[in-house]
Amino acid sequence: ELLAHELLCPQGGPSCEYYLVLAQTHILKKDFAKAEEYLQQAAQMDYLSPNVWGLKGHLYFLSGNHAEAKACYERTISFVVDASEMHFIFLRLGLIYLEEKELDELTEAEDALSEANALNNYNAEVWAYLALVCLKVGRQLEAEQAYKYTKKLKLKDEALLAEIHTVQETVGFGNPSF
């Protein structure tokens, strides 16, 4: 109630931020339809807000529509002003590029993941995806380095770790403990 009051604008109507908070809350509840409604309203108030586009990207990403998520994320990073969770935006965009598996997409994936890494280099997931990219483009030393950080930061995602191990075996490098 207090939050809602804080986020109303002086003109007496809800602000863009107000709708963004509501959208975020519904995304967390996995109520994507409602979240989308609030995002539409936020976009009507401020179409050029990187946070609107970033959140739209998260909404599409979490509901499994990666093509739309990619478009929103690319739009978010094209703004001069950063959205609030750039680290996640770059991480998920990198992930989408990685899924698309084309070689030029891998450079894009690496750029996005490097950005995510620059914003927070204590994220095991980012290191894991960087390891995957380096394995796939054949950069042995960097693949090993990224893998070391993945292990050191204790990646929780078992499936991702398994995928890395599979690719390591396939290419024959990337795991210093072999």
Side-chain angles (χ1 to χ4, degrees):
E1 192 53 26
L2 186 68
L3 175 70
H5 188 76
E6 279 297 297
L7 292 166
L8 292 173
C9 9
Q11 299 89 15
S15 64
C16 178
E17 282 68 34
Y18 172 75
Y19 287 121
L20 282 176
V21 169
L22 286 175
Q24 212 157 12
T25 312
H26 285 85
I27 287 174
L28 291 173
K29 290 182 190 163
K30 302 219 183 324
D31 181 351
F32 299 136
K34 205 83 187 124
E36 192 159 13
E37 249 171 70
Y38 289 125
L39 274 172
Q40 297 299 11
Q41 293 186 281
Q44 278 169 5
M45 308 204 73
D46 186 358
Y47 192 71
L48 295 176
S49 160
N51 286 324
V52 169
W53 291 98
L55 211 52
K56 262 185 141 164
H58 293 335
L59 174 70
Y60 287 126
F61 183 89
L62 295 168
S63 53
N65 186 342
H66 286 189
E68 283 294 333
K70 177 180 159 187
C72 291
Y73 287 148
E74 284 176 339
R75 184 149 193 168
T76 309
I77 63 179
S78 72
F79 288 111
V80 179
V81 185
D82 278 353
S84 49
E85 291 188 321
M86 286 313 276
H87 158 254
F88 276 116
I89 289 165
F90 282 119
L91 172 63
R92 288 174 172 167
L93 186 57
L95 189 65
I96 294 168
Y97 286 138
L98 205 54
E99 283 172 350
E100 295 180 346
K101 290 190 176 58
E102 294 161 33
L103 265 174
D104 54 335
E105 295 287 8
L106 283 176
T107 7
E108 304 257 10
E110 189 178 13
D111 288 346
L113 291 166
S114 300
E115 286 287 347
N117 202 359
L119 292 165
N120 173 7
N121 62 3
Y122 292 104
N123 185 313
E125 256 188 308
V126 178
W127 284 110
Y129 291 123
L130 276 170
L132 273 179
V133 173
C134 292
L135 287 167
K136 290 179 181 192
V137 294
R139 291 216 294 274
Q140 194 165 347
L141 209 67
E142 289 164 72
E144 287 184 9
Q145 197 111 37
Y147 179 68
K148 269 185 204 156
Y149 281 110
T150 304
K151 297 292 281 182
K152 192 174 151 184
L153 296 167
K154 298 182 176 53
L155 179 70
K156 307 260 187 301
D157 188 333
E158 292 297 326
L160 182 52
L161 208 53
E163 187 184 347
I164 291 174
H165 289 152
T166 308
V167 179
Q168 284 171 339
E169 280 169 35
T170 310
V171 296
F173 65 79
N175 187 341
S177 60
F178 277 168

